Amino acid sequence: MYDLAIIGGGPAGVAAGVYAARKKIKTVLITDAWGGQSNVSENIQNWIGTKSISGYALAKNLEEHLRDQEDIDIKQSRVLKVEKKDGGFMLTLTEGETLEVRLLLVTSGSRRKKLGVPGEAHFEAKGVVYCSTCDAPIFKNKTVAVVGGGNAGLEAVLDLFPYASKIYLLIRSNAMKGDPVTQEKVKQSDKTEVLYGALTQEIKGEVFVKSLVYKDAATGENKELAVDGVFIEIGSIPNSDFVKEFVTLSPLGEIIVDHKTQRAGTGIWAAGDVTDVLYKQNNISMGDAVKTVLNIYEFLHKGV
């Protein structure tokens, strides 16, 4: 039986794995992909200590760092099912393999909601992006579109203020839905044009994004905007379904944790974007994961 199973191979999972190995906790890390959502980012400029790195390179660095550790097992797989067992949990993996573990650390992250329109998948990381905090600097002096009228969309516009020369904000309904203070900042910006009743139809380009086609809900007419990038900010979905029986979820599906210890339930901890952490950022996820493993170590050795 393992003392700890870490589920997820993004920044939180890898940080937890490195610390668990160094603390000599008998650990298995289970992931079917490395790097989390950032592995599709073309140029990450807010990874502390590194001025610029691609998402692919970041994912490789994380994997190599973890594999260089002793005293940790790695399963390239996905957890299909979690069951309570005496003294811990039974995990069923995609290949049918089962593992017995005492404690769980869920770092399975989240996945961005997609528009599902033609061109979105083709131009991902080629002008279509999902993280304004990560990617706004890439679009310095460029024209961009932000899709989403809630807080995520409005905050993306604010992130783009110092960089983009022109920002189109596309909102499906006839009103913004974000915080009033943020709404005012967006409305007062000379570089932002808000398009209400704008239903995104297609993202077009060649090697990179060149334009976005939307339907004007009022007229039914399709219109095309010349843009260099499209920020899709319509929310994310936490990857929490497989443990929902054993933890408390927020209305958004996030695992609710004690933010001092990251505990989420009996024998379960969680860290990173799968939790109700206020800010979904790689650097924060790693810090929370380190805090989690230190608390798990105390629990295993001191019972606290």
Side-chain angles (χ1 to χ4, degrees):
M1 176 181 284
Y2 288 100
D3 286 328
L4 175 64
I6 300 169
I7 304 172
V14 171
V18 170
Y19 267 72
R22 294 175 64 84
K23 285 292 188 181
K24 302 292 185 182
I25 300 171
K26 188 178 181 182
T27 301
V28 59
L29 183 141
I30 306 158
T31 185
D32 61 350
W34 299 94
Q37 292 185 57
S38 294
N39 62 9
V40 298
S41 295
E42 182 180 351
N43 186 7
I44 299 168
Q45 298 181 353
N46 62 341
W47 183 251
I48 304 304
T50 303
K51 288 190 291 185
S52 176
I53 188 171
S54 70
Y56 175 80
L58 174 60
K60 293 298 290 182
N61 288 351
L62 291 172
E63 180 182 359
E64 289 172 4
H65 193 181
L66 185 65
R67 290 191 184 279
D68 194 53
Q69 307 304 307
E70 299 177 357
D71 304 311
I72 186 167
D73 288 343
I74 298 171
K75 300 283 187 182
Q76 198 86 23
S77 186
R78 187 162 51 90
V79 176
L80 290 181
K81 187 177 182 181
V82 177
E83 299 173 90
K84 277 275 193 182
K85 295 290 183 181
D86 289 342
F89 301 89
M90 176 75 78
L91 309 183
T92 302
L93 309 188
T94 46
E95 298 77 14
E97 182 180 4
T98 58
L99 301 174
E100 291 187 30
V101 303
R102 288 182 61 189
L103 307 174
L104 292 182
L105 170 47
V106 182
T107 60
S108 49
S110 62
R111 58 196 186 277
R112 294 284 182 172
K113 290 182 180 178
K114 305 293 180 74
L115 291 170
V117 299
E120 179 182 13
H122 179 76
F123 291 108
E124 188 166 332
K126 298 175 183 177
V128 172
V129 293
Y130 298 87
C131 178
S132 59
T133 306
C134 309
D135 298 320
I138 301 172
F139 294 89
K140 187 174 183 179
N141 299 323
K142 303 288 187 180
T143 298
V144 300
V146 175
V147 180
N151 278 323
L154 301 187
E155 288 166 7
V157 172
L158 299 190
D159 287 339
L160 284 159
F161 277 170
Y163 303 105
S165 58
K166 173 73 175 180
I167 306 165
Y168 294 104
L169 176 60
L170 281 69
I171 300 175
R172 290 180 59 87
S173 65
N174 294 318
M176 295 183 188
K177 297 179 181 178
D179 295 332
V181 173
T182 312
Q183 289 187 38
E184 286 305 310
K185 291 179 181 178
V186 169
K187 291 175 181 178
Q188 291 169 7
S189 167
D190 292 335
K191 63 170 61 178
T192 304
E193 182 176 342
V194 182
L195 303 172
Y196 295 99
L199 312 177
T200 304
Q201 302 296 301
E202 184 179 2
I203 298 168
K204 300 166 69 175
E206 296 173 359
V207 178
F208 296 97
V209 167
K210 293 292 184 182
S211 66
L212 178 147
V213 178
Y214 73 95
K215 178 184 287 187
D216 185 326
T219 65
E221 178 185 0
N222 275 1
K223 300 180 179 180
E224 189 166 353
L225 302 172
V227 296
D228 302 293
V230 179
F231 285 75
I232 298 172
E233 297 286 354
I234 55 176
S236 60
I237 304 170
N239 299 316
S240 58
D241 281 353
F242 65 99
V243 290
K244 63 184 179 181
E245 298 176 33
F246 311 113
V247 298
T248 301
L249 300 180
S250 76
L252 298 176
E254 304 159 317
I255 298 175
I256 297 175
V257 300
D258 175 346
H259 290 280
K260 287 185 177 181
T261 63
Q262 301 297 126
R263 294 189 189 188
T266 304
I268 301 180
W269 285 252
D273 286 5
V274 74
T275 75
D276 63 335
V277 63
L278 184 57
Y279 304 109
K280 315 292 190 184
Q281 293 289 301
N282 285 337
N283 295 297
I284 293 173
S285 294
M286 294 188 81
D288 281 352
V290 170
K291 174 174 57 176
T292 305
V293 172
L294 295 178
N295 187 252
I296 288 171
Y297 180 80
E298 288 188 351
F299 176 83
L300 287 169
H301 291 270
K302 302 177 184 178
V304 296

